Amino acid sequence: MATTVRRAVLTLPGAPLGPENPLPALRTLDEVHVLDERSRAELPRDMARQVGYRPLRGVLPVRILDGYERERSQREFAAIVVENPHLRVTVLPGLGGRVYSLVRKEPDGTERELLYRNPVFQPAAFALNGAWFSGGIEWNIGATGHTTLSCATLHTALVPAPDGGVMLRLWEWERLRDLPFQVDLWLPADSAFLYVGVRIRNPHERPAPVYWWSNIAVPEAPGTRVLAPADEAWHFGYERTLRRIPVPEWEGADRTYPLRGSHPADYFYELPHGARPWIASVDEEGHGLVQTSTQALRGRKLFVWGSGTGGRRWQEWLTEPGTPGYAEIQAGLARTQLEHVRLDPGGEFSWLEAYGPVSADPGVVHGADWSAARTAVAARLEADLPGAAVEAAHAAWRPYADVEPGERLVEGSGWGALEVLRGGLKLPGTPFEEGALGDEQSPWVELLRTGVFPAPRRVVPPGPSLVAPHWRDMLETAPADPLTEYHLGVAQWHAGDVAQAVRSWERGLALAPSRWPLLRCLAMADELAGDAERAADRFAEAFTDLCEESRGGPAWTAALAALGREALAALLAAARPAQARSVWTRLPAEVRCRGRFRLLTSRLLLAEGDIEGARAVFDEGFEVADLREGDEALSDQWSRLSADPVPRHYDFRMRP
């Protein structure tokens, strides 16, 4: 049986993503992987340099995805299935190219899932721009955290494979760093391992910071053990510190067993220089998944939720209660996920990964001798897939990375086509063609071709802003009008020039028939400056203007929800509960009943002096669908209302 590639449909209980948040993401990035200065000072010099190399401050120009809820119904997801006699791989091109399932076909005719396969699609606020979901293998590019492409559609096509068969190519334009990338999935006919060729290119005349971590969710049970060729690891425990610890035992527990720690934690393994990079997860019988790669992908990591209340609650939150949990094994370009690696102008990073089954003597891999345990897995890996074979596969794949795609299966976004059109870029193997340009890119194409940013044909919330230096330059020379000044201010804000951004927004406000987008931006500037009173004034005025302008429909409701949430928070911060109540009253009923607004309702009632009413909101029960990783808002509010322990269903704390 040769390798086959076919279309399929995956049916799951799933929550709809909902519309994008139409407000530009002006706030500083809320990312939990941040170090305090004292911890950074204690790092090795090369690691400290990469930790400090252009960390992301925000997610512009990408928009936030926070319009989902938790009501699920049966949904169909387009899938691509790659299959040979040994493996069946299910890929979801409409959800970031996620490998949803990797099934091992056993010689006796049975099948074994090698990954954690989530039985539901439930978005949660773990991606840099919000919506993300757990399970499978995801491709994280851009900056520290889960990629903004977690729930995006990637360009997908068939390409000739090095062995004469066919491989699946996924590619897109990563907008946080303005870099094109590709992922080629290749399953040779006689292979028990899935090969994954990855390439990131920098087509610009300036260096770029690059981040990549392949994130593999694996089943978790008391007997699960994760092994890697390391005696030390860097531990990150969500307390903003990174410290070197021994492997496997630390503070009285063997941390290579995911359930033997109480709290969520990252363990970045310190692989010896030149050692073959790999990581594996095995069950109590010694069976599991192993991932290996060429040397470029040097980092390996274990993420655990831990056995404590918060970690268990998060596990339930991301799937169905009662479903077995998962841990994550990962592979990255740097030693830790807090680092970014410089990619020179015109340069590229490429490597090959391999994913497949591993089996070893359970008495050895679960024995007390750590060296013997990892050596047993390494020996089995070398027997099944020699390191030299991985290097040879990478060399064989590299010429095929430039081969133009054949049959197109799925079309991604038009943002890459816009950048190629602007820069005249040549990117063999990953075409971004003008046919992919859509409505969101249309005004930017007109700016590029005429030097004028067009006015919308009807009253709608402003479309996405672009913030790269070349687009900012075009906006600065375009004729001044409110919409141009709005987008220019967003680009200047992204560049760190707050004063110029404020001037642009103020110029636009003086001319604008639609004032609320500019007022909201100015309110954000007031908030950054620490002027809570003026920020509250402007948020309230912006919300009032939006209510009067709203035409109804999903886009306007999304704008009302997003701006209403900000206005409520600003007015409560300024101790103005009466005005906050006025905002709350004007929100659509469908928005007020959402969990995020139930939490704000409790805060509003408390500010009004109604402690019993604020507590009653919690007693009635609610769920904040877009609760952010590391967010302690629920437990903080509870502590203001009660001396009782935080109820389990509200306890998402990730720290001791």
Side-chain angles (χ1 to χ4, degrees):
M1 174 182 169
T3 299
T4 61
V5 181
R6 58 183 171 85
R7 297 176 186 266
V9 174
L10 176 67
T11 302
L12 292 174
L17 275 175
E20 289 182 329
N21 185 329
L23 308 185
L26 301 180
R27 295 187 189 279
T28 303
L29 183 65
D30 182 19
E31 166 53 37
V32 296
H33 290 84
V34 177
L35 289 184
D36 61 32
E37 290 301 320
R38 184 175 63 178
S39 180
R40 186 182 300 184
E42 296 172 352
L43 299 178
R45 184 175 299 176
D46 62 331
M47 185 185 291
R49 182 175 62 252
Q50 292 190 157
V51 168
Y53 179 50
R54 294 179 62 183
L56 203 65
R57 295 187 305 133
V59 298
L60 287 169
V62 178
R63 286 181 153 185
I64 302 297
L65 280 170
D66 60 3
Y68 53 87
E69 287 296 324
R70 294 186 58 81
E71 293 78 24
R72 296 193 285 264
S73 59
Q74 290 297 109
R75 293 187 58 192
E76 293 185 345
F77 299 89
I80 308 294
V81 176
V82 185
E83 189 168 9
N84 74 0
H86 306 285
L87 291 175
R88 184 171 62 251
V89 186
T90 303
V91 182
L92 303 178
L95 292 172
R98 183 83 57 106
V99 176
Y100 176 75
S101 171
L102 182 62
V103 172
R104 162 66 168 165
K105 301 178 184 179
E106 302 290 359
D108 63 2
T110 61
E111 296 185 342
R112 177 160 53 95
E113 176 63 69
L114 300 179
L115 303 174
Y116 166 73
R117 183 168 59 188
N118 199 331
V120 303
F121 173 71
Q122 178 54 63
F126 278 61
L128 290 165
N129 64 328
W132 170 88
F133 65 105
S134 63
I137 307 171
E138 60 179 299
W139 319 111
N140 287 315
I141 182 173
T144 299
H146 292 281
T147 177
T148 61
L149 296 165
S150 293
C151 294
T153 300
L154 305 191
H155 296 280
T156 309
L158 301 182
V159 185
D163 66 344
V166 66
M167 61 184 175
L168 188 68
R169 175 164 299 164
L170 306 158
W171 75 99
E172 248 304 349
W173 189 274
E174 200 289 308
R175 301 177 66 209
L176 297 181
R177 304 302 194 181
D178 266 337
L179 300 176
F181 73 98
Q182 70 190 84
V183 177
D184 287 355
L185 294 103
W186 169 30
L187 187 57
D190 60 348
S191 176
F193 283 80
L194 170 68
Y195 291 161
V196 180
V198 182
R199 178 167 63 167
I200 304 170
R201 287 183 276 190
N202 180 6
H204 307 297
E205 297 178 352
R206 60 186 186 277
V210 172
Y211 172 95
W212 181 279
W213 282 81
S214 301
N215 185 354
I216 309 122
V218 291
E220 174 195 69
T224 301
R225 193 178 203 188
V226 171
L227 303 101
D231 290 312
E232 293 183 309
W234 293 92
H235 171 267
F236 183 86
Y238 297 85
E239 297 168 281
R240 304 206 167 193
T241 60
L242 194 63
R243 50 182 167 172
R244 195 192 297 257
I245 66 168
V247 174
E249 291 197 11
W250 178 58
E251 293 187 343
D254 186 332
R255 305 293 173 160
T256 62
Y257 289 88
L259 287 172
R260 295 189 184 177
S262 297
H263 294 89
D266 298 326
Y267 299 92
F268 300 102
Y269 294 113
E270 187 70 64
L271 274 59
H273 181 73
R276 181 179 183 181
W278 60 268
I279 190 168
S281 172
V282 298
D283 62 20
E284 60 185 4
E285 297 178 350
H287 304 304
L289 171 78
V290 64
Q291 187 272 358
T292 187
S293 70
T294 50
Q295 291 289 332
L297 206 64
R298 63 174 296 190
R300 292 298 185 277
K301 169 195 164 181
L302 164 64
F303 166 74
V304 301
W305 284 109
S307 59
T309 302
R312 294 300 93 193
R313 184 69 183 103
W314 274 118
Q315 291 264 35
E316 294 174 353
W317 187 251
L318 297 171
T319 183
E320 292 280 11
T323 302
Y326 74 96
E328 293 172 358
I329 57 176
Q330 304 188 23
L333 278 174
R335 277 183 287 182
T336 74
Q337 288 177 329
L338 291 82
E339 302 170 69
H340 298 87
V341 182
R342 175 186 166 114
L343 180 56
D344 290 329
E348 68 175 49
F349 291 138
S350 81
W351 63 89
L352 190 101
E353 304 180 44
Y355 296 81
V358 67
S359 294
D361 184 341
V364 177
V365 295
H366 291 289
D369 187 335
W370 170 244
S371 177
R374 69 174 196 245
T375 299
V377 174
R380 184 59 187 263
L381 172 61
E382 187 65 20
D384 292 344
L385 184 66
V390 176
E391 296 292 340
H394 180 234
W397 166 74
R398 273 301 285 112
Y400 287 81
D402 282 343
V403 173
E404 292 303 305
E407 181 185 352
R408 302 297 180 88
L409 303 177
V410 180
E411 187 171 278
S413 81
W415 295 113
L418 180 65
E419 294 301 331
V420 167
L421 179 67
R422 181 205 61 81
L425 305 177
K426 304 298 181 184
L427 298 169
T430 56
F432 295 96
E433 297 160 341
E434 286 194 41
L437 294 168
D439 292 343
E440 290 188 323
Q441 293 82 38
S442 177
W444 298 95
V445 172
E446 188 164 337
L447 173 65
L448 177 64
R449 289 176 170 162
T450 69
V452 177
F453 196 89
R457 295 182 178 87
R458 56 192 177 89
V459 178
V460 292
S465 297
L466 294 182
V467 298
H470 43 267
W471 295 109
R472 187 173 73 245
D473 291 345
M474 280 185 258
L475 289 166
E476 286 176 344
T477 57
D481 67 62
L483 191 56
T484 302
E485 297 290 355
Y486 164 82
H487 288 300
L488 174 58
V490 173
Q492 291 164 333
W493 177 278
H494 175 263
D497 194 344
V498 175
Q500 279 287 13
V502 169
R503 281 192 282 272
S504 295
W505 291 329
E506 287 177 338
R507 284 195 302 269
L509 187 64
L511 305 170
S514 179
R515 293 166 49 87
W516 67 267
L518 292 149
L519 282 168
R520 183 262 176 178
C521 290
L522 290 167
M524 295 292 295
D526 293 332
E527 195 172 73
L528 179 68
D531 192 339
E533 292 295 328
R534 190 160 70 166
D537 286 340
R538 280 177 161 160
F539 274 122
E541 185 179 357
F543 181 75
T544 298
D545 285 2
L546 173 58
C547 288
E548 294 173 356
E549 189 174 305
S550 174
R551 301 295 195 269
W556 289 103
T557 299
L560 284 165
L563 187 50
R565 174 175 167 177
E566 292 179 344
L568 279 168
L571 290 163
L572 290 173
R576 298 190 198 172
Q579 283 183 277
R581 174 62 65 183
S582 177
V583 168
W584 185 91
T585 301
R586 298 190 71 174
L587 285 168
E590 64 184 281
V591 171
R592 290 202 301 263
C593 69
R594 296 176 187 172
R596 174 64 63 178
F597 287 87
R598 297 298 294 152
L599 176 58
L600 283 167
T601 299
S602 178
R603 291 183 56 200
L604 174 57
L605 289 164
L606 182 60
E608 292 171 333
D610 186 356
I611 297 177
E612 290 186 4
R615 168 66 185 266
V617 174
F618 277 77
D619 293 340
E620 291 165 7
F622 64 94
E623 295 181 321
V624 180
D626 62 333
L627 192 68
R628 189 85 180 150
E629 180 184 13
D631 190 344
E632 298 178 356
L634 287 168
S635 50
D636 287 348
Q637 177 66 2
W638 176 267
S639 69
R640 299 183 186 104
L641 303 174
S642 175
D644 297 333
V646 180
R648 186 181 182 281
H649 56 284
Y650 293 126
D651 191 352
F652 292 86
R653 290 173 292 184
M654 299 178 70
R655 302 180 297 171

